[in-house]
Amino acid sequence: MRATVMDVVRDVVDQRAPEERPLVDDLAGLDYELVIQRVRRASDGRGGDPLGFGLSDATALVTPVVLLAVHEACRAAVADATGRLLSRATSALGRLRPSGRRQIAPPEIPDFDRDQLAAVRSRVRGEAVRRGLPEPDAEALADSVVAKLATAGAAEPEPDGTSAT
């Protein structure tokens, strides 16, 4: 089974900002679609603390940067792979879902090419600097995200030693 977006976020946060791990754990228990909407809103400065987990506090710098960058990278990779028509159809069908729908799980990490990984690195670095992380820390964070994405998209070996496909 491939790693999910939240797996990557958790691993990077453990490495770069372990004090934010409780926030990641709290977010992981919620509907993924709702988490993304609220993290975006909080990151844009709209509405105080919509999650109720201290996301608007200055201490949570890494989690929103990594979560949004990895989420957007996965969406872009899937859109490139499947074509925009399928993406629009899925989006339209999503709006037709009844409000009592099941929780949405975080998507799995696809395989990224070098250009996609470079774009993710640039986005993480830029957003981290914009949020006040010192340049060396922003560089290290971007490197951590790219390293995790480069390996997370690969299918893990099965217990018998073969590769899952």
Side-chain angles (χ1 to χ4, degrees):
M1 187 168 138
R2 289 176 177 256
T4 67
V5 169
M6 291 308 293
D7 294 334
V8 170
V9 172
R10 184 179 299 108
D11 288 349
V12 172
V13 166
D14 283 349
Q15 183 180 19
R16 295 288 165 195
E19 69 278 4
E20 293 184 29
R21 176 63 187 263
L23 172 61
V24 175
D25 291 341
D26 288 339
L27 294 176
L30 299 174
D31 178 77
Y32 180 74
E33 200 170 275
L34 180 64
V35 168
I36 292 300
Q37 290 172 358
R38 292 191 177 174
V39 169
R40 274 193 186 126
R41 189 176 311 131
S43 294
D44 290 346
R46 300 177 295 180
D49 186 14
L51 288 172
F53 296 120
L55 186 61
S56 63
D57 296 343
T59 58
L61 292 173
V62 172
T63 301
V65 169
V66 175
L67 179 60
L68 292 176
V70 172
H71 170 76
E72 291 300 324
C74 288
R75 283 189 60 203
V78 169
D80 287 348
T82 61
R84 303 228 183 266
L85 181 60
L86 180 59
S87 179
R88 282 190 220 135
T90 302
S91 180
L93 288 173
R95 287 190 292 263
L96 297 175
R97 263 187 244 142
S99 61
R101 65 182 169 76
R102 288 186 290 175
Q103 248 184 277
I104 301 294
E108 291 183 347
I109 302 297
D111 293 325
F112 290 101
D113 64 29
R114 287 180 191 258
D115 291 339
Q116 291 167 323
L117 290 173
V120 170
R121 186 183 188 290
S122 177
R123 176 164 183 188
V124 170
R125 188 192 140 299
E127 187 62 22
V129 168
R130 186 185 74 77
R131 289 174 174 267
L133 242 57
E135 185 73 32
D137 293 341
E139 291 282 336
L141 178 61
D143 289 343
S144 294
V145 171
V146 168
K148 188 63 187 167
L149 287 177
T151 58
E156 292 183 18
E158 292 294 320
D160 65 1
T162 61
S163 180
T165 52

